[in-house]
Amino acid sequence: MPELPEVEAARRAIEENCLGKKIKRVIIADDTKVIDGISPSDFQNSILGKTIVSARRKGKNLWLELDSPPFPSFQFGMAGAIYIKGVAVTKYKRSAVKDSEEWPSKYSKFFVELDDGLELSFTDKRRFAKVRLLANPTSVRPISELGPDALLEPMTVEEFAESFAKKKITIKPLLLDQGFISGIGNWIADEVLYQARIHPLQTASSLSKEQCEALHTSIKEVIEKAVEVDADSSQFPSNWIFHDREKKPGKAFVDGKKIDFITAGGRTTAYVPELQKLSGKDAEKAAKVRPGKRCVKSKEDEQESEKEDESAKPKKGQKPRGVRGKKPAPKKKTEDSDEEDDDADADGGDDSEAEEKIVKTRGRGTKPALKRKPEEKPTSQVGKKPKGRKS
């Protein structure tokens, strides 16, 4: 799933290749789920002949400033991606378009050809992104509701600690709340908590000054490093949990230490129990909970945190699969929310599959129930030399 580094890589690629060029051809997909609030013909007519002046970003949202409004705005969702023909935008997902490949892709939602022949496309295979045409993107939702950008508008350590002191929810959901800090998604949250040696279910208000400082540092270092290498995960430092967070439970290790998987804030979460330990009242509470229920969110999380996406919530009338016990309380959906867990495979499956999936705790032995016929019986260390990884 695109997070701040991936969207920033796209913004920089546009800035380096498209500024000062006039739009001479436009193709907008007839897809009302993605193209939000405007017909394809009106969208096309509004930007045809305009010149791209700059590319801007806040959090995981990007927009193109033209020589006059309105401006195209992109909310990347789960699988949104910018492609520029002939330019490798980012290696996070395949982005160099070959001559032999279909172009523009059948998944293209926004396509423009510039006056020098350069072609740019925004694609979305899963149709959870939003493409809008806005007079002032920063003045309306979702961008107007975003918290400070984690790269461009970092809090001071003092502001960071003060804001945590007021939050009674666990730290992972807070980091995913785009209204608190914008741009941090699931993999970044796991990484910065690991680097800071903080348990994902530690209550934010219980963090010590030293922990706040460590987390502040790890957010800065992880994001800056990921942006520096244009989100090319093969160049991420070898001591990052990122490289092993998608391996199967029992086979995931970082620096020789076992990675465990729980659910925090409705998201599959990777952490290292040996290094990321609960403390204080959180540790006492966890000791009283049966191991099989450690992934259940607290009532405070349900009430106060806003999910980064809607993937953990089954659709109305749909029963959760492979999950026992009570249904989770409904959660408020934010405009900047992504619709599906980023641990899902973004490169396969259709939209119905994407909408049906829910987040499951990994490594707990729970498997999704299968429908059977009635007669059947259920038989902050950044900078080590990176190691190679498929991106």
Side-chain angles (χ1 to χ4, degrees):
M1 179 183 289
E3 298 186 22
L4 187 156
E6 293 76 40
V7 181
E8 176 64 13
R11 187 199 70 78
R12 292 183 178 189
I14 294 171
E15 192 172 64
E16 290 169 8
N17 294 278
C18 304
L19 298 195
K21 299 177 182 180
K22 185 177 290 187
I23 298 171
K24 74 172 186 180
R25 185 161 68 103
V26 184
I27 303 174
I28 303 297
D30 186 10
D31 184 349
T32 56
K33 185 176 179 183
V34 177
I35 307 301
D36 190 18
I38 186 170
S39 69
S41 59
D42 286 347
F43 202 130
Q44 289 165 190
N45 293 334
S46 296
I47 66 172
L48 190 62
K50 300 284 186 70
T51 299
I52 299 176
V53 174
S54 68
R56 299 187 62 192
R57 180 195 59 77
K58 183 162 186 177
K60 295 180 280 184
N61 291 262
L62 179 148
W63 66 100
L64 304 181
E65 283 196 352
L66 309 179
D67 50 3
S68 64
F71 307 136
S73 174
F74 308 92
Q75 184 178 341
F76 280 57
M78 177 190 172
I82 289 287
Y83 293 87
I84 302 174
K85 194 169 186 182
V87 177
V89 176
T90 169
K91 293 184 180 178
Y92 179 73
K93 298 290 182 189
R94 176 190 56 77
S95 59
V97 181
K98 299 176 184 177
D99 291 337
S100 59
E101 295 176 327
E102 176 188 42
W103 178 262
S105 162
K106 64 181 177 180
Y107 301 111
S108 177
K109 306 302 176 183
F110 171 96
F111 169 87
V112 294
E113 181 183 353
L114 305 179
D115 57 6
D116 67 344
L118 194 69
E119 297 174 343
L120 177 149
S121 173
F122 177 84
T123 68
D124 181 25
K125 180 179 283 190
R126 289 300 183 90
R127 300 174 66 226
F128 291 119
K130 293 293 181 185
V131 179
R132 304 176 174 94
L133 192 64
L134 303 171
N136 183 2
T138 60
S139 68
V140 295
R141 299 170 66 187
I143 298 173
S144 64
E145 296 186 342
L146 296 178
D149 184 88
L151 176 68
L152 303 176
E153 307 163 307
M155 298 184 195
T156 65
V157 175
E158 292 73 23
E159 291 170 337
F160 206 56
E162 186 178 342
S163 62
F164 282 165
K166 301 172 184 176
K167 305 294 184 181
K168 303 298 182 183
I169 65 171
T170 53
I171 188 63
K172 171 81 181 272
L174 182 59
L175 293 177
L176 295 179
D177 180 358
Q178 300 301 294
F180 178 66
I181 301 175
S182 60
I184 295 178
N186 204 35
W187 81 256
I188 292 180
D190 284 357
E191 192 63 58
V192 299
L193 289 171
Y194 167 67
Q195 297 294 334
R197 305 300 192 249
I198 296 172
H199 194 290
L201 297 180
Q202 188 72 38
T203 302
S205 61
S206 71
L207 295 181
S208 66
K209 181 181 178 183
E210 291 73 24
Q211 286 177 311
C212 288
E213 290 174 349
L215 184 55
H216 184 273
T217 298
S218 67
I219 290 174
K220 179 178 184 295
E221 292 182 346
V222 166
I223 290 178
E224 286 183 352
K225 180 61 179 179
V227 167
E228 176 190 325
V229 299
D230 287 334
D232 179 357
S233 59
S234 69
Q235 295 189 53
F236 290 173
S238 61
N239 67 327
W240 280 16
I241 199 173
F242 176 93
H243 297 291
D244 298 284
R245 65 187 299 275
E246 292 184 6
K247 290 184 179 177
K248 292 181 179 180
K251 296 184 178 181
F253 294 85
V254 57
D255 284 347
K257 301 187 187 318
K258 182 183 176 183
I259 298 171
D260 201 357
F261 299 91
I262 58 174
T263 297
R267 308 302 299 275
T268 301
T269 299
Y271 81 114
V272 178
E274 186 178 339
L275 301 176
Q276 296 168 263
K277 298 179 183 295
L278 288 170
S279 61
K281 292 182 179 179
D282 289 318
E284 294 173 12
K285 185 195 291 186
K288 297 176 183 177
V289 178
R290 296 205 316 269
K293 292 196 175 183
R294 284 185 182 173
C295 300
V296 178
K297 291 186 289 177
S298 68
K299 197 176 280 186
E300 290 155 337
D301 285 340
E302 296 287 355
Q303 294 172 343
E304 296 185 37
S305 73
E306 291 187 354
K307 264 196 321 191
E308 188 208 25
D309 63 69
E310 289 295 301
S311 61
K313 185 173 70 176
K315 299 195 117 185
K316 187 176 180 181
Q318 179 185 2
K319 292 182 179 180
R321 295 172 292 171
V323 180
R324 297 180 180 179
K326 294 182 180 179
K327 294 180 180 178
K331 302 199 73 177
K332 181 180 176 182
K333 179 179 175 183
T334 63
E335 188 71 10
D336 191 47
S337 66
D338 293 318
E339 303 281 349
E340 188 172 11
D341 191 291
D342 62 347
D343 292 295
D345 175 12
D347 291 319
D350 58 21
D351 299 320
S352 60
E353 284 182 321
E355 291 176 338
E356 286 176 359
K357 289 183 182 178
I358 61 173
V359 175
K360 299 181 288 293
T361 304
R362 298 166 63 185
R364 297 291 179 187
T366 303
K367 295 182 178 179
L370 300 175
K371 279 191 176 180
R372 301 181 183 274
K373 296 178 182 178
E375 67 272 16
E376 290 181 350
K377 293 182 181 179
T379 44
S380 216
Q381 303 138 355
V382 176
K384 282 191 183 180
K385 186 177 179 182
K387 63 183 180 184
R389 165 179 166 84
K390 267 190 175 181
S391 44

